[in-house]
Amino acid sequence: MIPGLPIPAFWLGLAGLLPFLGLAGAGLAGLPWGGWALAAYGATILAFLGAVHWGLALAAPAPGPGRFLLGVVPQLVGWVALLLPLRPGLALLAAAMLVTAAAESLAARAGLVPVGYLRLRWVLSVGAAGCLAVAALAAR
C-alpha cells in the first residue's frame, strides 16, 4: 500500500499493468496483433494520464495554462505514436510514459499532484515503459 492513496486506486492501478504485461508477452510470442494492441493500449493510457491533469486543473481555484497543457500533450503524443511504424511507435510510448511521470514529479514539487498518486505513478510508469520498450525491441 501507498500512504495517502485510496485502496481502490492502488489495486486498479496495478491491475492496469496486466494488459501491458500480457500484450508485451503476446508480441514476444510472435502473435502479429500483440505489438499493435500494446501500442493502442499504451496510447489510451497516455490519454488517461493527461485527463487526470485536465480534471485537476478544472478543480483548481486558479489553474495555470501549464496544467491544461499537461492534460493535452500526452494524448497527442499517443496519437502520433499510433501513426508511426510499430517499433518507433512503441519506443515513443515508452519514453512518453517516463516523461509524463517526470513532468508530474515537477508538478508535485509545486503541490499540484498528490504525493501518494505520484508514488504509484512511478511504479506504473516504469512497469508500462518497460513492457513497451521490450516489445519495441522485439517488434519487426
Side-chain angles (χ1 to χ4, degrees), residues 2-5 113-125:
I2 297 175
L5 188 71
V113 176
V115 174
Y117 168 78
L118 185 62
R119 288 183 185 137
L120 178 64
R121 275 284 291 119
W122 272 108
V123 170
L124 300 177
S125 294

Side-chain angles (χ1 to χ4, degrees), residues 17-31 33-35 37-39 41 90 127-136 138:
L17 284 178
L18 294 175
F20 281 107
L21 293 165
L23 294 170
L28 290 172
L31 298 173
W33 52 267
L38 179 59
Y41 184 67
L90 289 168
C131 290
L132 290 160
V134 166

Side-chain angles (χ1 to χ4, degrees), residues 30-63:
L31 298 173
W33 52 267
W36 290 108
L38 179 59
Y41 184 67
T44 61
I45 293 300
L46 272 177
F48 173 82
L49 296 176
V52 167
H53 291 280
W54 191 268
L56 289 171
L58 290 173

Side-chain angles (χ1 to χ4, degrees), residues 49-50 52-54 56-58 62-74 103-104 107 112-113:
L49 296 176
V52 167
H53 291 280
W54 191 268
L56 289 171
L58 290 173
R67 286 310 287 278
F68 290 106
L69 189 62
L70 186 55
V72 173
V73 170
E104 289 176 338
L112 300 173
V113 176

